[in-house]
Amino acid sequence: MADKLYFVIPCYNEEEVLPETARRLQEKMHALIKSGMISGDSRVVFVNDGSGDRTWEIIRNLHEKDGLFSGVNLSRNRGHQNALLAGLMTVRPYCDMAISMDADLQDDINACDRMLEKYYSGSDIVYGVRSARKTDTWFKRTTAEGFYSLMKHMGTNTVSNHADFRLMSRRALDGLSEFGEVNLFLRGIVPMIGYPSDVVYYERAERFAGTSKYPLKKMLSFAVEGITSLSIEPLRIISQLGIAVFLVSIAILIYSLIRYAMGATVPGWTFLAISIWAIGGLILLALGVIGEYIGKIYLETKARPRYLIREFLDSEHGFDTDKPRNLTRKDKYPFHS
């Protein structure tokens, strides 16, 4: 018997693209079920990450018209990584495998067939990796390549040109559930799980509709999040820089003493000013990096929930908040992490 597949699609203000995404996923699911690659109990789960438009209304309507579609509604906006984790952890008890992808249709839905083949061949994790960046601007292509290069040099184990388009088996999802970080960077956490993995290459399309949810500022923040969540290399760089500055200061001290002994002392105002500004800048930079890590420690020690789920539309498993029921608070909000 074929295994049960759940698609997990994080959504944030995706009302423009969601109907088309649902149509294409519906066609793909029916084709996969008909071919016998997946079970007829497979589902598509849209995760509403506190959208301010009609996204959740559309998800509700899709669920009412076709039981193939399910929905998870977070209590508020928690960010893409938390929304994705919320979806994966919610479907984990019900599926044999899950495929995560974005709602903007840039990920190639047809690549899922090859992912399933890799899964049935024994891979617990199958990464969707971009074969080229033809649709990107020069700036985005250059910054993306720089991002992956920087992550590699900082000691973080990520898959180059891979975002969050991946297949994970139930065993891999169970492994992911053991990671309790509040500061999430799934692109670095998933490779840490360590089960057999493989790669499927695909060409990434242009966004079907709407606007990108990752402008430059957010991308830079995401890069900092990834580095500081998974690597202590920046702290080591600060230590190395401190040693280098200390060695330079000793050399300057020896030079100054020799000049003093030779009676050739010079006021050296320019050199002194430059030294003060340079060392002051390095100190502030070091404090900023250390502060970033202290801030993450602060958030981790609080152990606040990474997400809270307000509603889960899934009538198959007896939990469908679209239908009137006498729910206790515990019944209505059973999912949180």
Side-chain angles (χ1 to χ4, degrees):
M1 183 176 178
D3 287 349
K4 189 185 297 184
L5 167 67
Y6 271 58
F7 274 96
V8 177
I9 320 290
C11 304
Y12 177 66
N13 292 339
E14 299 288 3
E15 64 176 1
E16 294 182 51
V17 72
L18 204 52
E20 179 64 18
T21 303
R23 185 190 69 79
R24 295 191 191 182
L25 284 171
Q26 186 180 50
E27 290 180 355
K28 173 55 65 176
M29 291 289 278
H30 287 163
L32 291 173
I33 292 170
K34 186 177 180 179
S35 67
M37 292 193 73
I38 61 174
S39 164
D41 295 328
S42 300
R43 294 288 181 269
V44 176
V45 180
F46 294 107
V47 183
N48 179 41
D49 185 22
S51 299
D53 60 3
R54 295 179 55 253
T55 294
W56 182 241
E57 180 184 339
I58 294 172
I59 295 171
R60 277 179 174 275
N61 292 336
L62 289 168
H63 174 68
E64 289 175 354
K65 294 176 182 178
D66 190 345
L68 175 71
F69 298 106
S70 296
V72 174
N73 190 21
L74 301 189
S75 61
R76 66 182 181 90
N77 178 258
R78 292 295 298 141
H80 179 273
Q81 297 291 280
N82 285 294
L84 177 54
L85 182 71
L88 292 173
M89 293 300 101
T90 300
V91 306
R92 181 169 64 99
Y94 312 128
C95 68
D96 297 302
M97 54 185 161
I99 293 180
S100 60
M101 60 183 293
D102 292 336
D104 56 16
L105 293 176
Q106 289 188 285
D107 297 325
D108 184 7
I109 295 177
N110 293 320
C112 297
D113 300 61
R114 286 175 286 148
M115 287 183 170
L116 290 169
E117 291 173 1
K118 301 281 188 182
Y119 165 78
Y120 285 118
S121 296
S123 296
D124 284 284
I125 304 170
V126 184
Y127 300 100
V129 177
R130 298 181 63 169
S131 58
R133 288 185 169 271
K134 298 177 182 177
T135 59
D136 288 349
T137 62
W138 175 87
F139 179 78
K140 187 171 183 179
R141 182 169 59 253
T142 303
T143 53
E145 291 172 353
F147 167 75
Y148 288 111
S149 177
L150 179 62
M151 294 291 286
K152 182 179 180 180
H153 284 90
M154 287 295 175
T156 57
N157 182 24
T158 58
V159 178
S160 183
N161 288 317
H162 163 71
D164 290 294
F165 183 32
R166 68 178 75 90
L167 179 149
M168 298 182 70
S169 69
R170 171 68 179 275
R171 181 168 72 154
L173 291 174
D174 289 341
L176 179 61
S177 69
E178 297 296 319
F179 289 79
E181 286 98 325
V182 173
N183 302 283
L184 278 179
F185 188 72
L186 293 177
R187 299 180 196 183
I189 293 175
V190 172
M192 292 181 183
I193 296 174
Y195 293 130
S197 62
D198 210 329
V199 168
V200 165
Y201 293 97
Y202 72 99
E203 289 191 16
R204 190 171 174 86
E206 294 183 3
R207 185 181 179 86
F208 180 80
T211 58
S212 173
K213 305 305 184 294
Y214 272 91
L216 178 60
K217 182 179 179 180
K218 198 167 184 179
M219 284 296 295
L220 291 173
S221 176
F222 190 60
V224 172
E225 180 74 24
I227 293 170
T228 55
S229 295
L230 300 172
S231 172
I232 61 170
E233 191 63 27
L235 294 176
R236 291 187 179 133
I237 291 174
I238 288 175
S239 298
Q240 295 167 1
L241 190 60
I243 292 172
V245 172
F246 176 70
L247 293 175
V248 171
S249 66
I250 292 177
I252 292 173
L253 176 62
I254 294 171
Y255 172 78
S256 300
L257 290 174
I258 293 173
R259 296 283 293 179
Y260 177 78
M262 295 174 62
T265 55
V266 179
W269 180 87
T270 303
F271 178 79
L272 182 61
I274 292 174
S275 300
I276 291 173
W277 279 99
I279 294 173
L282 290 174
I283 291 172
L284 290 175
L285 175 63
L287 289 175
V289 174
I290 294 170
E292 185 74 26
Y293 279 94
I294 292 174
K296 291 191 181 301
I297 294 171
Y298 171 74
L299 292 175
E300 293 290 344
T301 54
K302 281 182 174 292
R304 289 174 175 168
R306 292 173 290 188
Y307 56 83
L308 294 172
I309 293 180
R310 181 179 178 182
E311 296 177 78
F312 176 33
L313 307 178
D314 192 359
S315 54
E316 179 188 357
H317 301 104
F319 186 59
D320 187 347
T321 58
D322 233 12
K323 298 177 180 179
R325 290 177 57 202
N326 294 322
L327 297 173
T328 65
R329 185 172 183 83
K330 183 177 180 181
D331 290 332
K332 195 168 184 180
Y333 307 108
F335 298 98
H336 65 86
S337 178

